[in-house]
Every structure is written in structure tokens, then in C-alpha cells.
Amino acid sequence: MSEQRVDADAPDAAGDPGRVHLEAHPAMSRDDDAPDADANGDAEAGASDADPDSDVAAADVAAADAAATHREEPRGTGLDRWWSGLVSTPRRRALWYWGGPILVTLLAAVLRFWNLGNPHALVFDETYYVKDAWTLLHHGYESAWPDDPNPAFEAGDTDIFLADPEYVVHPPLGKWMISLGMLAFGADNAFWWRATTALAGTIAVFVLTLVARRLFASTLVAVIAGLLFAVDGNAIVMSRVAILDNWLMLFCLLGFWFVLLDRARTARLLEARVDAGLAAGEEPHLGPAIWARPWVVAAGLAFGAATAVKWSGLYFIAAVGIYLVVVDALARRRTGVHFWATGAVLKQAPITFLLFVPIAVAVYLASWTGWLVTDGGYYRHWADEADHAATGLFAWVPHSLQSLWHYHQAAYGYHVGVQTPHPWQANPLTWLFMIRPTNMYFLATDDGSGGCGATTCWSSIMEIANPLVWWAATIATGYLVYRLVRYREWQVGVILLGVAAGYLPWLMYLNRTVFQFYSIVFEPYLLLALAFVITLILGRPTDATWRRKRGLGVVGVYLVAVVAVSVFYYPLWSAIPVTPEFRQLHFWLPGWG
């Protein structure tokens, strides 16, 4: 039965002859990306099948074979043959399998941790999240500070916080994660304010390589995707400033990876269960119910943690929940389940919900433990006040949870209504084009002490993505929309799912005060879209030599240019002092300066 199934998620074999069939792509089915061993194997097989008793037939076959060999277009390149020999043993392949992703992760670590304590100042929204994280450690809830506390905090006088609660509008988990560096080493060094955020950005690069390899079955493409993420300015800046969005991105990316792991594992389980039922004489009317889905539970944990950093994690929960049902329906259709849609919606979907959503809710509530077990948090005793507690149907709910619900209502009202003008706000419609990146820090010195070798020096932290990466990824994402409609490849669909979950909800809030740096949450999926297109350009080691050389050359030149642009922009991403003239050279669009 399994031999007769058609993968509905896979490319149509009868499609465009110029298409690259990802699931059958030789360069993506082996991690060594080596060319096939023998390009003339079919011709040799044809000669061996000739009638040995016919000298004429043998001569004709030999002549035809010689002519075919003469006409055979060269395949692959010397680089492919060299690489095939280099990773020709299991140990070498394993070294490349793990060494490539680890290498780009180490590069990411250097770019994120080098001189991380500069500037020793509360940068942009660090003024909220760093101080909130510090008070969480001491009180279990975010507490208030006296007027103008930043100079004293930056000078090392960090314990001037008050016992009074502070009204905050984001859940606590991201601030708890920021606090871990200060918990271990104190708050008197900016390096430790930012260390865990930099670590999150570094880990995200490694996770992205794992996601890319799961999608494309190629370590080479995975390493390229990781390299793009490692050297991009948006990712670097968001790893070097202690605000929440990097943690949101990491938890969502982890959940995305877990969903991909579940897709492959559950498909195998479903096929085995259906085949076993057929062997026993059972017809697969609705298909089996599968409870053994640990990666769905893990995804629930990850997306619950994302929501406990910022509520926009809820959009990923909703999008992934729908995706899990759709993928299950398609898997049931492939395995020959008669009522595959009904089975997916009525039989498997409730189970998936129970494995996915309650654990996410539990993680979210657990992030509020400090607020729940202490007495000083904002609105902590709201339900204890006269006429506030619920009556009737919800009277049984503990007052602490009623107070927490009221807190959420108030925070939601703030989120949907915030329209305070900001000089660096950016309309979500412009995010994909990077019209208005965020300037997070600026310092000018005019006395020659700035360290740039001139009298006047300017230091900046500007969240400008690498233009060659960002704009290419935007174009690639647009192409994937076309490709999804045209070919319905599962890899394209799941990549666009990540982009949609991270980006499209913001189009409902065009009048809100929002910023370009929110895009870090969906940047990994933009880069996966770019990696998909790079895969098409690279081609296969079995492609015609001219085609393969062109693909390798284009991708090689592009990557060299990307690295060069990142070197050029790194001073503006890491607050390295530069002259005003040099800084101005980086502003390629009017909205950047």
C-alpha cells in the first residue's frame, strides 16, 4: 500500500521541468552534498543487457554507447568532486554535519558577545526591562523606582528601587530570563544585563540551522541560513540590547522546529498504524487516533513560553494549531484513510488540542508565579476590594486569579490603544522594506576623547538589517507566495506559516506605536525563504557543469558581499565610535538617518 501513496505535500512530478524537486533533490537527500558516483551508469547498464549472441547487436550497442558518451554533457564541478572526497567517510560526514552549524554559531557568539558591555548605559527600552528584571529578583514582581534612577543605576547604585508595584504591560518570563545574568554576576556591569539576551540570539542561530536542515535535507544550505542570521544587523542588535523580543523569537523558533519534528514522526506512526490495520483486515475509515506526539507537547511548552514573554506568541499558537490539523488531514489522505478530513477534524484534532494548548496555558500561568505568591504586585489584591470580586458562575475562582484576569484586561486595553508618537516608530506596512529602522542609542563627543581618531565622534546602536540580506529575503518571500500557489510544496507552506504568524497580525494595528525591531520575531522565516531560493540557485551536483558553476558562483559572490556589508555596518550595530561622515555613509534610505 505504501508504494502507491502520493505525497500531497510534495511537488507534482509532472510540473515545470525547470523546477527543483526538493524531496527528490540528490543534493538535499545526503548531508555530504556529493555528486553521484557514476554519471554513465545507465549507459553501461544498457550495454550489459544486449544479446550476447549477436555480434551485430553488440557492435551497434557499443557504437551507440560511445556516441552517447561523446554527447553526454559534463556534470558537476571539480569543487563537487573535491567535496565528495573530503566527506567520503562517516566520521568526516559527522564532522561536517555538526561542525558546520557549530562554526556559524561560534561566529554569531563572537559578533554578539564582543564588547557587549559597551555602552554602559540603559539603551532604549532597557530602561524598563533591565530594571524590571532586577526588581523581579528581589520582590517577585516588578516594582517602582524613584525619579530619574538611570544615572544612579548605571553608576552601580542598583538597589534604590521601591517596594511599591510598577504597572507593566508584558508578562514576566522575558524579564526573568534577562535577570539570570544579573542573578549570577550582579547588575553593576552592562555586560550581565545583556548576556542572556546575547545567548538567546546565539542559540537561535544554531536552532535555525537545525530547522533549515530539516526543511532542505542539506547541511550546506543549513550553514548558509545560519551564516545569514549570524551576520545580519537586525539579529545582532536585538542580541546586544536587553529587551524582550529576542526571547520571543527564540521560543517561537524552537516551537517551529518541534512542529517539524512532529510532522515527520507522526507521518511514520500514522502509516504504520494504517498498514497494521489493513494487514488485520480493518478498513481505515477515519484513521487511528495518535496520542504519542511528544514534539507537539514540546511545541506547546515553547509557544507557551513565547506568549509568557509577549502576547504576540498567541498568534503562533493559533497558526500552528491550524497547521497541525491541516497536516494531519493531508497525511491521512496520503495513507488511504477514506474519511481523512473528518478523521483529522473530529478524531485527531481534539487530541492534538489537549496535547498542545493546556501545556501552553500552564507555562504561561507559571511565568506569573512570582506575582501570585507575593502580595505586592500591581493589582495583586484587586479582587479583594469591595465590589470587585466575581459573583455567580465565577465566584469560585480564587481572588488571585480574578485579580490576574483584571490585570490582563487592563494591559490589553493599553496594548490596543497605545498611539503615543515616537520619532523612530515604523508602520508595519514598511517593515519588509526596512524604511524606518530603530535608532536605539546615540552619543556624540566633540573633545577628541571619543576614540574614533577625530575631534568629533559619534556612537550609535542602529537596528539596520544587512540590506543585502533583508531585501533579498523579502523578495524571496514574495516568490514563495507565488510558488505555494503554483506547486504547493510543503516546505514553502510551512516557511510562509512562520512569516504570516509573526508579521500579518501587526497589519491589524496600523495606527499603533510600533517599531521595526518587532520584525526579529519573523526574521528567521524570511531567511528560510531566502535559503529556499539559494537552494534553487545552487542546483545539484548532478546538474550540467555550466549550470552548477553558475549557481555556485552566484551564491558565493552573494555571500562574500553579505559578509563585506556586515563588516561595514558592524560599528553602527555595536556602538563603535566613528566619524560623522563615516556614519552618514550607512544611511542608504532617507528614513535611516
Side-chain angles (χ1 to χ4, degrees), residues 96-112:
W96 167 237
Y97 187 89
W98 291 112
I102 290 173
L103 191 62
V104 293
T105 303
L106 290 176
L107 173 63
V110 171
L111 296 176
R112 285 151 178 77

Side-chain angles (χ1 to χ4, degrees), residues 210-229:
L210 301 181
V211 170
R213 186 159 55 199
R214 173 64 54 173
L215 287 171
F216 308 126
S218 169
T219 298
L220 174 62
V221 176
V223 169
I224 290 174
L227 174 66
L228 295 173
F229 204 23

Side-chain angles (χ1 to χ4, degrees), residues 284-300:
H285 296 296
L286 294 176
I290 300 178
W291 283 90
R293 301 181 69 174
W295 292 119
V296 170
V297 177

Side-chain angles (χ1 to χ4, degrees), residues 142-155:
E142 299 92 338
S143 61
W145 294 77
D147 293 339
D148 194 23
N150 287 7
F153 189 93
E154 294 164 357

Side-chain angles (χ1 to χ4, degrees), residues 164-190:
D164 298 332
E166 181 72 21
Y167 177 60
V168 297
V169 294
H170 292 300
L173 183 58
K175 287 161 280 188
W176 279 115
M177 303 307 292
I178 291 172
S179 75
L180 295 179
M182 295 186 287
L183 173 64
F185 299 100
D188 57 351
N189 189 323

Side-chain angles (χ1 to χ4, degrees), residues 185-377:
F185 299 100
D188 57 351
N189 189 323
F191 183 95
W192 298 114
W193 307 343
R194 303 169 183 143
T196 57
T197 306
L199 180 62
T202 303
I203 293 172
V205 171
F206 185 72
V207 175
L208 184 67
T209 66
L210 301 181
V211 170
R213 186 159 55 199
R214 173 64 54 173
L215 287 171
F216 308 126
S218 169
T219 298
L220 174 62
V221 176
V223 169
I224 290 174
L227 174 66
L228 295 173
F229 204 23
V231 304
D232 178 65
N234 191 37
I236 290 172
V237 168
M238 295 307 294
S239 297
R240 294 179 62 91
V241 177
I243 57 181
L244 304 180
D245 300 78
N246 229 36
W247 287 103
L248 173 62
M249 175 273 295
L250 175 59
F251 287 132
C252 287
L253 186 59
L254 282 169
F256 188 82
W257 179 42
F258 296 151
V259 168
L260 293 180
L261 293 173
D262 172 77
R263 182 186 184 277
R265 183 180 186 277
T266 302
R268 292 192 298 268
L269 286 177
L270 181 64
E271 183 173 340
R273 293 277 297 276
V274 170
D275 285 346
L278 288 173
E282 301 174 0
E283 287 296 323
H285 296 296
L286 294 176
I290 300 178
W291 283 90
R293 301 181 69 174
W295 292 119
V296 170
V297 177
L301 286 167
F303 290 121
T307 307
V309 174
K310 275 191 169 184
W311 286 352
S312 47
L314 285 170
Y315 298 121
F316 278 86
I317 292 177
V320 167
I322 295 171
Y323 176 79
L324 290 172
V325 176
V326 171
V327 166
D328 181 66
L330 294 176
R332 287 169 189 268
R333 185 177 69 173
R334 287 196 304 271
T335 53
V337 172
H338 300 323
F339 304 105
W340 50 272
T342 304
V345 173
L346 298 183
K347 191 171 185 178
Q348 184 62 47
I351 296 172
T352 304
F353 178 89
L354 291 175
L355 294 173
F356 183 56
V357 175
I359 191 68
V361 173
V363 170
Y364 179 81
L365 288 176
S367 73
W368 287 89
T369 299
W371 187 90
L372 289 168
V373 300
T374 59
D375 292 320

